[in-house]
Amino acid sequence: MEIFALGEGSYSVDSTKKFIPFNPETDNFKDRPGSLFIHVNPFLIKTTHDLIVLDTGLGFKDTRDELLLHQNIRNAGFDPDDVTLVLMSHLHYDHSGGLVVERNGKLEPSFPQARHVIQKGEWEFGMAGKSSSYHKEIFEALQGVDITFVEGSGELISGIRYELSGGHCPNHQVFWIDIEGTKVLFGGDELPEPEQLIRKFIAKYDMDGRKAMQLRQEYGKLASEEGWTCLFYHSKSFAIGNVSSDDGGEHFTVTPA
Ligand SMILES: [Zn+2]
């Protein structure tokens, strides 16, 4: 198995929930008062049978009008058309923007050949259009695409389990991938940064902050005991890490994998 972090860069987001690219080398934090700064890392996993994308980023394009996500997949040595599985932790815009690409003023699926895996409740919530964290037009543009709507927890294919977690948002899911001797946990926004394993806290951006904190503790314990490599979607330091614990899963150390 090969794992790649497809870094989409850094962004600021203000109260209007608009994401603006932020280049730490040329932009200044002070010019964007009241903004939250985030880093975005979708992931690509190559197994013998599948080429898997885990969450799709904001869907920004490069200077040649190409999806950054597609370009990053090419840079890793693969063709975006060869992606077989798109696994979605949840559908907030910073994770689902790259599901579609705008061509000639129209939104088209970014991975028309792939099987997409989405929690049914998450899809319905996003389609209801009641939260500005979801962009309904993305989901409408996925008409005709192969989507498997999963419910609760279960096994998708041999070696890939989805688990309804519901801390960050009610229908959030995490993925446990155990293939070819490598164990990978994609925690999405339940486990967005290594820092959240190192320091325990309740985060404001989680719907159920206490639950999300408890889940992180559980995931850290399993990762350290069973050797799950963790993928950190919003990490600014390193995006792929291994977890260890000296005190049976109370406190953790995370090192780049
Ligand atoms: Zn997020």
Side-chain angles (χ1 to χ4, degrees), residues 124-134 136:
E124 287 166 355
F125 193 86
M127 279 297 249
K130 285 182 190 148
S131 162
S132 59
S133 298
Y134 297 83
K136 196 179 166 184

Side-chain angles (χ1 to χ4, degrees), residues 94-95 189 234:
D94 57 319
H95 296 251
D189 274 359
H234 288 305

Side-chain angles (χ1 to χ4, degrees), residues 5 18-19 47 63 101 106 172 176 216 218 223:
K18 205 168 149 37
F19 291 84
T47 68
T63 47
V101 54
K106 223 176 130 247
H172 189 288
W176 302 85
R216 289 197 287 275
E218 265 173 49

Side-chain angles (χ1 to χ4, degrees), residues 82-143:
D82 292 337
V83 171
T84 53
L85 276 175
V86 178
L87 307 182
M88 299 298 297
S89 67
H90 65 305
L91 296 174
H92 284 164
Y93 180 61
D94 57 319
H95 296 251
S96 63
L99 280 171
V100 294
V101 54
E102 187 252 294
R103 286 193 186 109
N104 307 318
K106 223 176 130 247
L107 291 180
E108 294 174 7
S110 309
F111 302 103
Q113 336 278 3
R115 175 187 182 193
H116 296 59
V117 179
I118 297 171
Q119 275 285 331
K120 186 164 179 267
E122 182 68 359
W123 176 267
E124 287 166 355
F125 193 86
M127 279 297 249
K130 285 182 190 148
S131 162
S132 59
S133 298
Y134 297 83
H135 291 199
K136 196 179 166 184
E137 63 274 18
I138 293 173
F139 316 133
E140 287 167 347
L142 291 178
Q143 290 264 348

Side-chain angles (χ1 to χ4, degrees), residues 234-246:
H234 288 305
S235 177
K236 60 175 172 295
S237 47
F238 54 91
I240 306 172
N242 289 323
V243 184
S244 58
S245 176
D246 291 334

